Structure formats: C-alpha cells, structure tokens
Amino acid sequence: MQQTTSPRSDRLKQYRIVGINLAVIIVVLSAAAIVPRNGQALVIVSPWSDPGRVISVISDAGGSVMNGTGSPYAAIAYSDEPGFAFRLFKSGAMLVLDGSLAFFCRSTSSL
C-alpha cells in the first residue's frame, strides 16, 4: 500500500522549514550586529559579582574603561589590540557586545 500525506501536513512542514530559516537568518544578523568592532566593547559581568569586577575584567584583558553605564556591572571599554573580546571573556566577562549598543544603557561621565 502506498501512503499519501495530506496537504495540511505538507503545508505544516513548509511553514516549519520557513520558520527555521528565518530564525537562522535572525540569529546570524543579530550576531553580526552585536560583535564588538573598532576596539570598543560594552562589557557586562554577572550581577552577583563584586560591583568593581567589571573594571578588573577590563584591565585583565588589556583594555581601558571609556565610560560607565549607570550600572556597577557594565562599562564601555576600549582596546586596539586584536582579540580584545576573547580576552574579555577569558578574564571573566559574562557578555561582550559592540560598544555602539551602549546607548541602551544610561551613560554617565565616570564610574
């Protein structure tokens, strides 16, 4: 006996494939938009760490603090050395984003 699939089942498979493709596209475009560029990065450490931890993470990675964000767990950092984002993760950053995304944070003139 030959088994046939219903048109509804085929349509659901097509929707699922389109949905997966859209999800992959969104993830790739988001990743490209938030990867640190030009040496400037928004560095976020875990909120349960010491309030000054973000400064030590940045200095351990060979960077300098450019500006605060209004939160003791995030700061804008800069380094012109290649691999800065990787070194930030290695020294304890929980999240490293492109520094241009800092406008989402309330910026202050100093930490």
Side-chain angles (χ1 to χ4, degrees):
M1 271 188 161
Q2 189 178 22
Q3 195 173 17
T4 61
T5 59
S6 69
R8 181 177 176 172
S9 173
D10 289 339
R11 187 174 301 152
L12 287 176
K13 287 179 186 178
Q14 290 173 348
Y15 287 146
R16 202 173 298 143
I17 291 170
V18 169
I20 290 170
N21 284 322
L22 287 175
V24 168
I25 290 169
I26 289 170
V27 167
V28 169
L29 290 177
S30 297
I34 63 175
V35 170
R37 295 181 297 269
N38 302 327
Q40 189 176 357
L42 174 61
V43 182
I44 301 170
V45 297
S46 59
W48 51 84
S49 62
D50 294 330
R53 176 80 176 124
V54 69
I55 295 171
S56 63
V57 165
I58 293 168
S59 65
D60 290 347
S64 58
V65 177
M66 288 181 62
N67 202 352
T69 61
S71 168
Y73 308 108
I76 303 166
Y78 178 80
S79 174
D80 55 1
E81 296 292 321
F84 182 48
F86 177 73
R87 290 193 314 273
L88 285 167
F89 280 119
K90 198 172 178 183
S91 60
M94 185 174 81
L95 188 61
V96 178
L97 303 172
D98 184 40
S100 65
L101 296 176
F103 68 88
F104 286 117
C105 303
R106 185 189 59 170
S107 186
T108 60
S109 60
S110 66
L111 290 174

